Each structure stands twice: as structure tokens, then as C-alpha cells.
Amino acid sequence: MIKARIVVTLKNGVLDPQGKAIEGALGALGFSGVGAVRQGKVFDVEIDGEDRAAAEASLRDMCAKLLANTVIENYTVEIA
Amino acid sequence: MIKARIVVTLKNGVLDPQGKAIEGALGALGFSGVGAVRQGKVFDVEIDGEDRAAAEASLRDMCAKLLANTVIENYTVEIA
């Protein structure tokens, strides 16, 4: 079994109101010196088999088809 | 400026209906051999200054106070 982690983040220039809200909340809690905060998603996926190259191709396909909106999001695939 | 990435994931044993839904959707899209899928959150945070140890302490404090629910979630802090 292969374990992989997919991280989906917003592209630069795409507004992130959720990140902005967290920035404001951290300031309100007294954390100083906090610059930009951007929020993204992480998916931990288990794939049957031991073929890492095939798994990576399959995971990239999953990102393109379901897990990420490639118009506004970037994704990275890391195989453990 | 220090850039950090915080990853928040559900603890083992905590139900993840969103992950289950993704698992089902991947199956419906024709991806075979997909085992468990767990969804988490990622935060990219910029901190002013160059003191990495202080930044890490501050980031862990942010996780405990705002970014993670430590009853059901684990977090990791990575400084770039």
C-alpha cells in the first residue's frame, strides 16, 4: 500500500477571504507580526499496490478531476 | 520574514465523513484501488522577524488557540 499526501493551495493572486479572516482573528488574539495567511486543503490518500509511478500518475489525475480546481488552485503530490 | 506551513489533520479514530465522500466520489469516477481518504487543512503563514525558535513557539500557540481543535485534531508546524 502506498500512502500519499496531496496539498491543494490557492494560486497567487486569488483572493482568500478565509485566510484574511484567520489573519484578523490572530491579530485579535494578540499575535503580533503575522503577515499573510493562506488556507488550503490536504488529502491523505491510500492507494493499493506498490507501483509508485502509477500511483503518482493516478493521484495527479484525481487532483485534476476532483480534488483541485486547477483554474484557481495548485496541487502537489507527495508519496511517503 | 519566516514562512511556515501548518498542517492540521484529524486524529486516528475520528470519523471523517468528508474523506469518506471523496473516497466514494473517486470510486464513482473510476479510480480503483483507493483506500482510506482523510481530509485536513493547511495554513501558510508569514511571520515577521528572523527568530525561527520564537516563530515556531508562536505558531504552536496559534494552533492550540485557534487553528486546530486539539481534542480531535493533530497539527504539525514546518518552517521553510
Side-chain angles (χ1 to χ4, degrees):
Chain A
M1 197 184 59
I2 291 168
K3 289 190 179 200
R5 169 161 284 183
I6 293 166
V7 178
V8 177
T9 50
L10 284 171
K11 289 186 179 173
N12 284 336
V14 177
L15 288 178
D16 179 5
Q18 205 171 357
K20 278 279 165 211
I22 293 166
E23 226 175 285
L26 288 173
L29 282 172
F31 291 103
S32 58
V34 177
V37 178
R38 308 273 288 170
Q39 178 163 9
K41 287 173 283 188
V42 58
F43 303 97
D44 289 318
V45 184
E46 292 175 4
I47 303 264
D48 294 342
E50 294 302 328
D51 183 343
R52 295 166 68 91
E56 186 168 344
S58 170
L59 287 160
R60 290 192 171 278
D61 205 21
M62 287 176 203
C63 287
K65 286 193 179 146
L66 181 73
L67 301 176
N69 175 352
T70 54
V71 177
I72 56 165
E73 291 172 328
N74 292 321
Y75 59 84
T76 57
V77 174
E78 247 174 73
I79 297 197
Chain B
M1 197 183 59
I2 292 169
K3 289 189 180 202
R5 170 161 283 182
I6 293 166
V7 178
V8 176
T9 50
L10 284 172
K11 289 186 178 174
N12 285 335
V14 178
L15 287 178
D16 180 6
Q18 205 172 358
K20 278 278 166 215
I22 294 167
E23 225 176 286
L26 288 172
L29 283 172
F31 291 102
S32 57
V34 178
V37 178
R38 306 274 286 171
Q39 178 163 6
K41 287 173 285 187
V42 58
F43 303 95
D44 290 319
V45 183
E46 292 175 4
I47 303 263
D48 294 341
E50 294 302 328
D51 183 344
R52 297 165 68 91
E56 186 169 345
S58 170
L59 287 159
R60 291 193 172 279
D61 205 22
M62 288 176 204
C63 289
K65 286 193 180 146
L66 181 74
L67 301 175
N69 175 352
T70 53
V71 177
I72 57 167
E73 290 172 329
N74 292 320
Y75 59 84
T76 59
V77 174
E78 248 174 72
I79 296 197

